[in-house]
Structures are given as C-alpha cells and as structure tokens.
C-alpha cells in the first residue's frame, strides 16, 4: 500500500483517499498553523482581548481558504459568546455531504479552543504563546478540514454534516464550549 499511496494519481482507486489525506495534512502545514497562531503577534489570544479577535480573523481566513461553508446559521463563521462585541467569538464552519448523496443521520463535530492566557506582568518573555494549549488543536482541526475537503473533491466526502468549531473562552471556564 505504501508504494501505491506515494504514487498519487497513478495509485489504485482504493489508495487515492489515503494519498489525498496525506497531501492535505502535512507536517509543514501543521507546523505553519501552530507557529502562526502561537506567535507573539497573537499575544496569547486571551479571552476578551484584541488578540482573541485577531486569532478569530486568522482562523476565519483559514476556513475560507479551505472552502468551508459558514456554520453558524448566518453568513459568517462567527457565533458571539459574550455581550462585548470585541470578544472573539466561537467560529463554526461546515462541510455538507454532496447534493443528492445518501446522507447518514447526525453531525460530526471536530473542535478545539483557540484562546489562551493573558501575558505575565513582568519578565522579558511575557507572552504565553499556547502552542500546545491549544494552537496545536486548532492546527489539527484545520488539517482534518483540509483532508475532508480534499476527499469531498475526490467524491469521497462525508455522508453527514461535519462542523469544524474553534471555541473561545475555554480558559475562562469553558464559556464558549
């Protein structure tokens, strides 16, 4: 199977989905997503901060680039979770089965949270970047979304709706989730 998988388009039909997933979830893409989301420019992505909003915009752009549909029942990925409009929202994207497909009942949710901690009050390195909590989780959500979108483009998409959710407010007591 490994030779068939690396063969790509020349691979047997059964191996093509594996090749599509491997092409969509690469170490470089995951590393890039984690590095971007946990960079100092994101300021720790703490709840009720401009940095959480910056992270929400970044994730929304990634959902757009993947080609996911808005999943919050509106024309946006944003689902407000706080009366303060400056608070970063939950973000919900959707991948539906193809039209006319024999749809299975139910919905699958792939999720992680994107907020982290406020900066320290002092010291040279004040920002809690949160690569493992939970920029890596968001990178995983994006990787799965890319893979499922690639499979759908190859006619091997999901038989049910899949929601990709980036929650905010986890560090403040699971407010978003």
């Amino acid at each position: 199977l490994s030779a068939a998988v690396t063969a790509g388009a020349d691979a047997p039909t059964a191996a093509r989905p594996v090749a599509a997933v491997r092409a969509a979830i690469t170490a470089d893409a995951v590393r890039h997503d984690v590095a971007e989301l946990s960079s100092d420019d994101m300021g720790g992505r703490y709840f009720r901060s401009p940095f959480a909003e910056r992270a929400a915009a970044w994730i929304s752009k990634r959902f757009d680039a993947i080609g996911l549909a808005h999943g919050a029942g509106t024309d946006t990925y944003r689902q407000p979770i706080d009366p303060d409009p400056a608070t970063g929202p939950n973000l919900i994207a959707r991948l539906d089965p193809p039209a006319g497909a024999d749809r299975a009942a139910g919905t699958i949710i792939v999720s992680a949270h994107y907020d982290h901690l406020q900066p320290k009050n002092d010291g040279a390195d004040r920002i809690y970047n949160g690569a493992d909590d939970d920029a890596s989780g968001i990178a995983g959500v994006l990787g799965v979304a890319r893979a499922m979108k690639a499979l759908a483009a190859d006619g091997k998409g999901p038989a049910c709706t899949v929601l990709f959710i980036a929650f905010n407010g986890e560090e403040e007591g699971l407010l978003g989730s």
Side-chain angles (χ1 to χ4, degrees):
L1 179 65
S2 62
V5 168
T6 59
D10 298 330
T13 304
R16 281 195 198 128
V18 175
V21 169
R22 284 189 174 177
I25 304 176
T26 66
D28 286 343
V30 171
R31 198 172 10 259
H32 176 266
D33 289 343
V34 171
E36 287 281 322
L37 199 53
S38 64
S39 71
D40 283 355
D41 289 343
M42 292 291 182
R45 310 175 309 277
Y46 60 99
F47 190 61
R48 292 189 179 110
S49 76
F51 299 106
E53 181 56 40
R54 183 177 294 168
W58 183 89
I59 295 165
S60 294
K61 286 179 185 174
R62 295 307 182 272
F63 284 166
D64 280 340
I66 294 167
L68 299 172
H70 298 128
T74 64
D75 62 350
T76 180
Y77 301 117
R78 301 170 68 88
Q79 177 198 41
I81 59 170
D82 193 75
D84 180 352
T87 298
N90 287 339
L91 302 163
I92 305 172
R94 189 181 77 245
L95 179 62
D96 289 320
D102 183 20
R103 295 176 181 223
T107 300
I108 295 172
I109 297 173
V110 181
S111 68
H113 71 95
Y114 67 90
D115 63 307
H116 195 53
L117 303 174
Q118 284 187 293
K120 301 174 213 169
N121 290 329
D122 56 19
D125 186 12
R126 296 181 48 223
I127 297 173
Y128 291 106
N129 299 91
D132 289 333
D133 187 14
D134 195 22
S136 59
I138 294 295
V141 169
L142 295 171
V144 171
R146 283 190 294 268
M148 293 191 82
K149 187 69 176 182
L151 289 171
D154 197 27
K156 307 273 190 247
C160 65
T161 297
V162 181
L163 296 178
F164 300 95
I165 306 176
F167 290 110
N168 192 6
E170 185 270 347
E171 300 293 350
E172 291 293 318
L174 307 177
L175 294 179
S177 58

